[in-house]
C-alpha cells in the first residue's frame, strides 16, 4: 500500500537542483573573497551544549527564550541544542583548542543554523549563514576590515542597494551607565508596555529598544541615546572606524537604535540592509564582542565578526536577474553493446581532458536520446552507433548553434572542443 507522503518540516527547505547552481556560484565567490582577506576555514558541529548559547547569546533574548531547538541527550540527560548561530560555537572551538596561543585568528564558517521563528519570506527555521570571526584583535581596524569586506562582496555579487548601518554600544562602563538611564526612562513610560515588555525593562532594558511593536515606536524613538554616554576610548574607537570608512568611500548611516538581538556585543555593531526583500531586509550583521571569549572560559581577548544570511542574499541575486544554470560540454548518445563500450571510454577521455560529459544511461532510441541531450543543455551531442564503432570515431552534433553533424576521431573531437572552449 502506498504510504501517506511525508513532507519537510515547516520552515526547513530543500535546495533543489534548479537553484543549486546559484548556491554553488555564491559559495565559490565567497571562498575566493575570504582567501583574499586571509580568513581560514573552521567547521563546528551542528549540536552544542545548550549552556553555550544561554551564556553567550544571553538568557533574555528571543533566541534563547523561544527559538532554540533543544533536546535531552537520551543517555546522560544533557541538554543539547541545534546551533542557532555560529559565533558561540566558533569561540568555544577556539578556546577548547587554544587557537589564540598561535596569535590572533581570522576564521570563517558556513552552514545551517536553526531558530524556531515564525516562517515567512526570508525567515526560515533552518537557514544558512556564512560567518566571519576575527579573534584577538582589539583595534577598530579589524571592524573596518570586516565592513570593507562586505562592501567588496556585494560588488562582486553585483548586488546594488545594500545600505550600511553602524552604531556603537559603548564599552562596559558607558554601557552600564546607559543601561540604567534607559531603564529609568522606560520605567517612566511603563504604561505603554505590556506585561512581557515590562519584565524586559527589569531584566534587559536595552533589548526593549529592539522591539518592532508599532505601539512602542514613539517611546523608543525618544529614548536616551548611547552616543551621549560614550567616554574617551569608546568614542575614539567609533571615530577611528568611521575615519577608515570615509577614507575608503564607504557610505554609512549611524543608526542609534541598532542594538542587535544577541547580548554579546559591545562597541561597534553593524548591519547591511536592503529594502528589496520586504520585512526581512537584513542580509548581513555583526559587530565586536570583546567579552565573549572570557565568558566562555577562555583567556580574555577581543574579537569582532559578522554573519550573512545566504537565503536572503540569493533571493537578492535572483531578483537581480537569474543566473543561467551551467551547461555540460557534451552529452554522449550510444546504441548497441560495442557502441556503449566505446561511449564509456570516450566519456572518460573527455573528462580526462577537462570537459563535462554526460553519458546517456538507460537505453532508448537515438531520437529519444538526442532529445535528452538537448534537454540537458549540453553544447554537443556525441553520437556513437555501429558505423562509428567500425570506423573507431564519433559523430558530433552541435545542439546550440547551427551546423552539420560531423564525423571525427577522438583526438579531433578533443582538439575541436578545446578550440571552441577558447573562443
Ligand atoms: P544574526 O543577526 O542573528 O547574527 O544573523 C545574521 C544574519 O543571518 C541575519 O542578518 C540574516 O541575514 C540571517 N538570518 C538570521 N535569522 C534568519 C532566519 N530565521 N532565516 C533566514 N536568515 C536568517 C548572528 O547570527 C551573529 N552570529 C553574527 C555575528 C558573527 N556576530 C559576530 N560574529
Amino acid at each position: 500500500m502506498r504510504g501517506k507522503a511525508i513532507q519537510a518540516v515547516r520552515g526547513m527547505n530543500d535546495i533543489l537542483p534548479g537553484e543549486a547552481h546559484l548556491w554553488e556560484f555564491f559559495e565559490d565567490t565567497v571562498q575566493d573573497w575570504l582567501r583574499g582577506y586571509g580568513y581560514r576555514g573552521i567547521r563546528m558541529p551542528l549540536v552544542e551544549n545548550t549552556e553555550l548559547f544561554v551564556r553567550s547569546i544571553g538568557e533574555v533574548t528571543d533566541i534563547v527564550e523561544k527559538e532554540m531547538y533543544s533536546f535531552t541527550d537520551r543517555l546522560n540527560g544533557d541538554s543539547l541544542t541545534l546551533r542557532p548561530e555560529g559565533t558561540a560555537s566558533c569561540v568555544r572551538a577556539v578556546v577548547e583548542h587554544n587557537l589564540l596561543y598561535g596569535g590572533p585568528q581570522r576564521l570563517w564558517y558556513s552552514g545551517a543554523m536553526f531558530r524556531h521563528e515564525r516562517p515567512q519570506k526570508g525567515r526560515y527555521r533552518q537557514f544558512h549563514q556564512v560567518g566571519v570571526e576575527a579573534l584577538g584583535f582589539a583595534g577598530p581596524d579589524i571592524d573596518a576590515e570586516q565592513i570593507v569586506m562586505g562592501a567588496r562582496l556585494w560588488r562582486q555579487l553585483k548586488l546594488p542597494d545594500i545600505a550600511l548601518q553602524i552604531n556603537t554600544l559603548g564599552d562596559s562602563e558607558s554601557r552600564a551607565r546607559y543601561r540604567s538611564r534607559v531603564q529609568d526612562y522606560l520605567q517612566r513610560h511603563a504604561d505603554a508596555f505590556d506585561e512581557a515588555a515590562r519584565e524586559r525593562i527589569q531584566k534587559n532594558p536595552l533589548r526593549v529598544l529592539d522591539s518592532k511593536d508599532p505601539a512602542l515606536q514613539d517611546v523608543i524613538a525618544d529614548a536616551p541615546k548611547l552616543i551621549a554616554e560614550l567616554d574617551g576610548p569608546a568614542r575614539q574607537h567609533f571615530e577611528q572606524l568611521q575615519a577608515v570608512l570615509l577614507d575608503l568611500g564607504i557610505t554609512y548611516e549611524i543608526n542609534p537604535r541598532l542594538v542587535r538581538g544577541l547580548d554579546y556585543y559591545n562597541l561597534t555593531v553593524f548591519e547591511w540592509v536592503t529594502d528589496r526583500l520586504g520585512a526581512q531586509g537584513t542580509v548581513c550583521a555583526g559587530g565586536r564582542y570583546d567579552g565573549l571569549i572570557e565568558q566562555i572560559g577562555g583567556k580574555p581577548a577581543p574579537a569582532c565578526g559578522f554573519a550573512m544570511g545566504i537565503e536572503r542574499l540569493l533571493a537578492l541575486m535572483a531578483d537581480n536577474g537569474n543566473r543561467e544554470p551551467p551547461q555540460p560540454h557534451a552529452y554522449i548518445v550510444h546504441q548497441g553493446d560495442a557502441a556503449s563500450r566505446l561511449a564509456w571510454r570516450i566519456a572518460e577521455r573527455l573528462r580526462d581532458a577537462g570537459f563535462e560529459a554526460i553519458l546517456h544511461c538507460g537505453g532508448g532510441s537515438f531520437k529519444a536520446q538526442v532529445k535528452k541531450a538537448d534537454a540537458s543543455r549540453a553544447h554537443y551531442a556525441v553520437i556513437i552507433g555501429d558505423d562509428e564503432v567500425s570506423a573507431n570515431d564519433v559523430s558530433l552534433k552541435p545542439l546550440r548553434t547551427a551546423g552539420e553533424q560531423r564525423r571525427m576521431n577522438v583526438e579531433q573531437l578533443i582538439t575541436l572542443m578545446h578550440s571552441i572552449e577558447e573562443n
Side-chain angles (χ1 to χ4, degrees), residues 63 84-88 109 115 117 122-129 131-133 260-262 264-265 271-272 282-289 304-312:
I63 296 180
E85 59 108 44
T87 308
Y109 50 83
R115 296 184 194 175
E117 298 191 77
R123 190 165 75 192
Y124 310 104
R125 289 180 174 171
Q126 176 179 316
F127 61 97
H128 297 79
Q129 284 184 343
V132 171
E133 316 288 355
R260 310 273 304 119
L262 307 94
Y264 48 63
Y265 294 107
E271 290 195 354
W272 292 95
T282 305
V283 291
C284 177
R288 187 159 272 288
Y289 51 92
C304 186
F306 64 92
M308 54 190 129
I310 302 183
E311 283 84 353
R312 293 185 189 177

